[in-house]
Amino acid sequence: MQTETPTPIPRKGFISKNPSLKIREFRSYLTLRLGVIFALNMQSTTIYFWVYQMTNDKLSLGFVGLAEVIPAICCSFFSGHFVDLNEKRKMITICLAGYIITGICLLLLAVPMTAQHLGASWMLHLIYFFVFLGGALRSFYSPSMFSLFGLVVPRADYPNATGWSSMAWQVGSVLGPLAAGFAIASLGILSSLSIVVALEFLLLVPLFSIAAKPIIRKEKERVMKSVTEGLRFVWNTPVLLSALTLDMFSVLFGGAVALLPVYQKEILHVNEMGFGLLRAAPGIGAIITLGLLALIPLKKQPGRKLFICVSGFAISIIVFGISTNFILSFCMLLFSGMFDAVSVVIRGTILQLVTPDHMRGRVSAVNTMFVSSSNELGDFESGVMAHFFGAVRAVVIGGCLTLGVVGYTLFSAPQLRKFTFDEKKQEHE
């Protein structure tokens, strides 16, 4: 008589809830993603502080965002085409090398001897130029990383892996500004930029621990036809188009980061460390939320939750705009990051689920045009609005416009409102 083998009881531990973390290459991917965004946020925070100290002009802050968004949008029209036709690790290596070179150039520009020879006007224009180069690099880096994600993570683990990828991005977004605040306050602008360059060199280690991946799309075609296919796919996928549009306009109108130097100096009256804390607050809130999502995965009614969170983001920005208390301002930026983190995970998962493997580069390039570049375009919009209406009115008006966009999209995009991560259920709907 044979005894039945007892059925093993499935584990309910942390790793079982996060299967993507078992993948070694995905862990290297997370390290690279965190490190790059840490370095770029530390660099951008330093640049914004540097430019405002040089000019004491709100419009100059807006031009920093504009200098990055112009190449990011223009190059995105064809960057996805080249990403889809080339090996992804090679593309990321080229971009990282470009970031190292621009970082070294900014570092040399911050040397006191350089400032004495060039003068403030030349210094400012050269800063804009190197920011411009960084924007061009990002238009290739973002689609390359998005495409690599799909090659190191199984499709079934996309929602979980997207949460961790967003977590890595947010941790870098938090620690980068904080590190910049510490470095500027204690060591100066030159040391802050030196740390950025050193870190970018170190990131070559996790990058080369990821094996070269096969090129899924090998047939060559005209650039314009290839680009048009990416745009057409997004346009003909209502749930993706509405998610990107909602995120784009909420970031465009609701962004307040570019005006933080103004709030630090003229409204809240805090030192450089306070500036770093304000800059890091949205990311801290995002990390808290993403940590909760790692323990309690987002499964039910993601579409409806997206609208709720973008509305919460807009309200947080409005309250921040009228606040004159540092603690309240910090809390509102913290809440804005918490709400934004949920929308980032939902949008990122939608993007991964609905995009075919052979079109990842092109669709991600369209995403860069829609969403990623709206951060810098929002910085420019904030600078221009603050120049004409003042910082407080600019932030409050932007938050109100974001609420208007949420209301319009809620009624005009039922596919997004009803969206679910269950692909079989989605097909029936």
Side-chain angles (χ1 to χ4, degrees):
M1 182 176 178
Q2 293 182 339
T3 58
E4 294 184 0
T5 304
T7 304
I9 300 174
R11 295 184 177 182
K12 296 183 180 180
F14 178 78
I15 293 298
S16 64
K17 291 182 179 180
N18 296 278
S20 60
L21 295 182
K22 298 177 183 177
I23 306 168
R24 182 187 60 80
E25 287 192 334
F26 181 63
R27 295 196 298 269
S28 296
Y29 175 94
L30 290 179
T31 303
L32 178 65
R33 183 162 168 79
L34 186 154
V36 169
I37 201 65
F38 174 95
L40 294 182
N41 270 271
M42 186 173 182
Q43 186 180 73
S44 66
T45 302
T46 305
I47 288 173
Y48 275 109
F49 183 84
W50 188 11
V51 168
Y52 196 65
Q53 291 299 111
M54 287 174 58
T55 64
N56 203 37
D57 178 31
K58 302 177 185 67
L59 195 57
S60 296
L61 295 175
F63 283 131
V64 175
L66 185 64
E68 185 169 359
V69 76
I70 290 175
I73 292 177
C74 294
C75 294
S76 292
F77 279 104
F78 56 84
S79 63
H81 168 79
F82 291 104
V83 169
D84 279 338
L85 289 175
N86 287 278
E87 199 276 312
K88 307 306 178 283
R89 192 186 69 174
K90 182 183 77 172
M91 294 295 297
I92 295 170
T93 303
I94 294 171
C95 293
L96 185 55
Y99 281 134
I100 291 172
I101 293 170
T102 55
I104 291 173
C105 291
L106 285 166
L107 176 61
L108 294 174
L109 202 59
V111 174
M113 188 180 299
T114 306
Q116 293 173 4
H117 284 83
L118 291 178
S121 179
W122 267 101
M123 286 272 291
L124 188 61
H125 285 87
L126 284 172
I127 290 172
Y128 289 151
F129 173 73
F130 292 123
V131 170
F132 183 94
L133 292 181
L137 288 169
R138 196 187 66 186
S139 69
F140 289 89
Y141 172 78
S142 294
S144 299
M145 286 293 284
F146 178 81
S147 300
L148 184 63
F149 177 100
L151 297 174
V152 299
V153 178
R155 187 176 182 83
D157 295 335
Y158 279 177
N160 176 251
T162 299
W164 281 105
S165 180
S166 299
M167 170 76 85
W169 192 93
Q170 293 292 352
V171 169
S173 298
V174 171
L175 298 183
L178 277 177
F182 276 109
I184 293 170
S186 57
L187 301 172
I189 292 171
L190 184 63
S191 296
S192 181
L193 295 174
S194 300
I195 295 171
V196 170
V197 174
L199 179 60
E200 287 172 344
F201 271 110
L202 290 174
L203 288 173
L204 292 170
V205 176
L207 173 59
F208 287 119
S209 69
I210 300 173
K213 302 300 178 185
I215 303 172
I216 296 175
R217 175 176 172 259
K218 297 182 179 179
E219 74 279 3
K220 294 186 177 181
E221 58 187 0
R222 288 179 299 176
V223 176
M224 288 307 301
K225 180 182 178 183
S226 177
V227 171
T228 303
E229 284 186 359
L231 290 168
R232 186 183 297 118
F233 176 82
V234 173
W235 185 262
N236 292 331
T237 311
V239 66
L240 180 57
L241 178 64
S242 53
L244 294 182
T245 303
L246 177 63
D247 206 344
M248 179 184 72
F249 283 107
S250 64
V251 173
L252 176 64
F253 295 133
V257 171
L259 297 178
L260 288 183
V262 182
Y263 272 80
Q264 174 239 338
K265 189 174 183 180
E266 300 179 10
I267 298 174
L268 300 176
H269 306 291
V270 293
N271 58 18
E272 291 85 352
M273 193 59 62
F275 169 68
L277 287 171
L278 289 173
R279 181 66 175 78
I284 295 173
I287 290 175
I288 294 171
T289 299
L290 291 169
L292 292 173
L293 291 179
L295 299 173
I296 311 171
L298 187 66
K299 293 180 179 180
K300 297 181 179 179
Q301 299 179 329
R304 293 182 183 179
K305 291 175 182 176
L306 176 62
F307 286 104
I308 293 171
C309 289
V310 177
S311 299
F313 169 81
I315 294 170
S316 300
I317 292 299
I318 292 171
V319 177
F320 166 78
I322 60 179
S323 170
T324 57
N325 179 273
F326 175 78
I327 295 177
L328 178 60
S329 298
F330 178 85
C331 290
M332 287 302 104
L333 290 175
L334 187 81
F335 289 143
S336 74
M338 295 180 74
F339 288 121
D340 188 51
V342 179
S343 68
V344 166
V345 170
I346 295 172
R347 178 178 54 81
T349 305
I350 291 172
L351 196 63
Q352 290 287 353
L353 287 174
V354 304
T355 305
D357 289 337
H358 68 282
M359 293 188 67
R360 289 186 175 278
R362 285 166 289 175
V363 173
S364 180
V366 176
N367 177 61
T368 299
M369 287 187 280
F370 267 80
V371 179
S372 300
S373 298
S374 60
N375 288 284
E376 286 70 35
L377 197 58
D379 291 346
F380 175 67
E381 179 267 343
S382 297
V384 172
M385 290 276 285
H387 178 73
F388 289 105
F389 301 108
V392 174
R393 289 179 182 175
V395 173
V396 173
I397 291 172
C400 292
L401 289 173
T402 301
L403 281 177
V405 171
V406 172
Y408 175 79
T409 311
L410 178 65
F411 293 103
S412 63
Q415 299 92 339
L416 180 59
R417 192 171 63 246
K418 299 175 183 177
F419 183 80
T420 173
F421 290 155
D422 186 342
E423 293 182 272
K424 292 182 180 179
K425 185 177 179 181
Q426 189 70 27
E427 287 175 3
H428 291 303
E429 293 182 355

